[in-house]
C-alpha cells in the first residue's frame, strides 16, 4: 500500500475519533435531562474509553500490517541479493576460466615466436 493510502487510512481513524468526540459533545448537551448525572458520566466515560480503544486497536493493526510488509520486503530484498551474489560468483568463475585459457594461449604464442626466431637464426 502506498504512503498516501496509509495516510488516508490513518486519517480515516482520526475522522472516526472525531465523530466519537462529536457524539460525546452531543451527549454533554443539556437536552439529555432525563439522564441522571451518574448515568451521563458513565456514558461519557464509556464513549471516551471506546474512542481511545478504537484508536489504539486501529493503530495497532496498522503497525502490525506495516511490520508484515516490512518483513516481506526485507525477505524479498534478501532473496534478490542472494541471487545477485550467485550470479556474481558464477561470472567470477567464468572470468577465471577465461583468464587461464588466455594465459595458456599466450604461453603457446610465445613458444611459437621463440621457435620461429630460433629457426630463422639457424638458417
Amino acid at each position: 500500500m502506498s504512503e498516501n493510502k496509509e495516510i488516508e487510512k490513518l486519517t480515516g481513524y482520526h475522522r472516526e475519533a472525531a465523530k466519537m468526540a462529536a457524539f460525546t459533545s452531543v451527549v454533554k448537551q443539556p437536552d439529555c435531562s432525563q439522564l441522571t448525572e451518574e448515568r451521563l458520566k458513565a456514558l461519557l466515560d464509556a464513549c471516551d474509553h471506546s474512542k481511545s480503544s478504537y484508536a489504539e486497536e486501529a493503530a495497532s493493526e496498522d503497525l502490525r500490517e506495516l511490520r508484515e510488509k516490512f518483513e516481506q520486503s526485507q525477505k524479498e530484498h534478501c532473496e534478490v541479493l542472494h541471487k545477485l551474489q550467485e550470479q556474481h560468483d558464477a561470472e567470477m568463475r567464468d572470468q577465471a576460466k577465461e583468464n587461464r585459457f588466455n594465459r595458456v594461449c599466450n604461453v603457446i604464442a610465445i613458444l611459437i615466436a621463440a621457435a620461429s626466431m630460433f629457426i630463422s637464426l639457424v638458417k
Side-chain angles (χ1 to χ4, degrees):
M1 197 177 296
S2 70
E3 286 184 33
N4 289 337
K5 288 186 180 181
E6 291 290 330
I7 291 170
E8 289 174 9
K9 193 173 186 181
L10 291 174
T11 304
Y13 295 132
H14 289 289
R15 275 191 237 122
E16 288 299 318
K19 287 179 187 177
M20 294 289 275
F23 173 73
T24 303
S25 67
V26 167
V27 172
K28 289 180 183 178
Q29 298 293 329
D31 64 51
C32 294
S33 58
Q34 72 272 17
L35 294 174
T36 65
E37 189 173 327
E38 258 179 42
R39 295 190 116 208
L40 182 60
K41 183 166 177 35
L43 182 59
L44 289 173
D45 288 344
C47 287
D48 288 339
H49 176 70
S50 114
K51 187 172 31 174
S52 65
S53 294
Y54 179 77
E56 288 173 9
E57 184 179 323
S60 173
E61 182 63 30
D62 285 344
L63 287 174
R64 192 173 316 113
E65 286 178 17
L66 286 173
R67 177 181 214 107
E68 289 172 1
K69 288 177 186 176
F70 176 75
E71 289 171 354
Q72 182 65 25
S73 168
Q74 289 290 70
K75 184 179 176 183
E76 290 171 1
H77 181 68
C78 287
E79 289 173 359
V80 168
L81 285 177
H82 183 68
K83 287 178 184 176
L84 287 174
Q85 183 66 40
E86 287 176 352
Q87 287 176 350
H88 176 70
D89 292 345
E91 288 173 2
M92 293 301 287
R93 285 190 298 272
D94 291 344
Q95 185 67 40
K97 286 179 186 177
E98 187 177 334
N99 287 343
R100 281 192 299 272
F101 177 75
N102 287 339
R103 271 190 244 121
V104 169
C105 287
N106 287 338
V107 169
I108 291 172
I110 290 172
L111 291 175
I112 291 173
S116 297
M117 184 178 73
F118 181 72
I119 290 173
S120 67
L121 288 176
V122 172
K123 282 187 179 187

